[in-house]
Amino acid sequence: RRVHGYYVRGLAYYAQRKHQKAVRDLRQALATGIAAAVAPDVHYHIGLAFAHCEIYDDAARAFAEAKRLRPDRTEYAHERAKALQLLGGHEADAIAEFTHVISVQPRNARAYFRRGFAHKVIGDMTRAAEDFMTARRLDPENPRMVVNFARLDAIDCI
């Protein structure tokens, strides 16, 4: 019962944007033996909380553990890719994660969009442009999917 209480309270703290308290309780849930079926979600929410605190290395590790436990959950790979991208210096891993997401969800405009930025950072402007245009084609009503190619040089990630 107490273990489940840490998990529920951790989720409540996360919903309230009390990310440090969420991490504390979610880690306590793991340490006291949360059910294996719930563990991936615990790691996922720990990752989200760290990402909100801009602690991207810990976020990437938490998402990696969630993905290890549930490789079928593409959102874990997507969030790990975002954390790696924001951490910087891990573009190849981010591209691999986004590519995995796209292989499972070929209409995921956000994965194409973010992968485009990872390609841009490593200097592959052709693939970056292809991904940006694919994202725009998949989600034409979303103004966030519009890239100003003239100003793109100054932006590494969105």
Side-chain angles (χ1 to χ4, degrees):
R1 285 254 175 241
R2 203 167 88 198
V3 173
H4 187 71
Y6 286 124
Y7 171 61
V8 171
R9 190 170 67 185
L11 292 179
Y13 280 141
Y14 176 78
Q16 296 170 356
R17 300 188 185 283
K18 296 177 180 178
H19 299 115
Q20 292 176 344
K21 288 182 176 186
V23 168
R24 184 196 64 218
D25 275 9
L26 293 169
R27 283 184 165 168
Q28 190 64 34
L30 289 170
T32 53
I34 193 79
V38 180
D41 188 65
V42 174
H43 287 287
Y44 174 67
H45 279 89
I46 289 171
L48 291 174
F50 276 130
H52 282 288
C53 294
E54 299 181 3
I55 306 172
Y56 300 117
D57 52 345
D58 287 342
R61 277 192 289 278
F63 293 134
E65 182 61 13
K67 183 183 170 197
R68 184 187 71 76
L69 295 170
R70 286 290 306 272
D72 59 309
R73 300 291 299 265
T74 55
E75 66 269 29
Y76 299 166
H78 195 145
E79 292 299 331
R80 180 172 184 265
K82 287 168 44 180
L84 291 169
Q85 196 172 38
L86 291 164
L87 187 58
H90 300 275
E91 285 73 27
D93 289 335
I95 289 169
E97 292 285 22
F98 285 128
T99 299
H100 167 71
V101 171
I102 290 166
S103 74
V104 177
Q105 299 174 342
R107 299 199 49 81
N108 187 327
R110 290 174 188 231
Y112 279 103
F113 191 72
R114 284 191 164 275
R115 187 176 73 174
F117 278 103
H119 281 304
K120 181 239 174 220
V121 169
I122 63 171
D124 191 342
M125 297 307 284
T126 300
R127 286 190 176 153
E130 289 170 357
D131 279 352
F132 292 140
M133 289 186 291
T134 300
R136 181 69 179 158
R137 188 177 67 251
L138 291 172
D139 193 0
E141 301 302 316
N142 187 342
R144 293 180 185 196
M145 298 295 154
V146 176
V147 173
N148 181 339
F149 287 96
R151 301 171 105 197
L152 187 60
D153 193 49
I155 303 169
D156 286 340
C157 180
I158 291 182

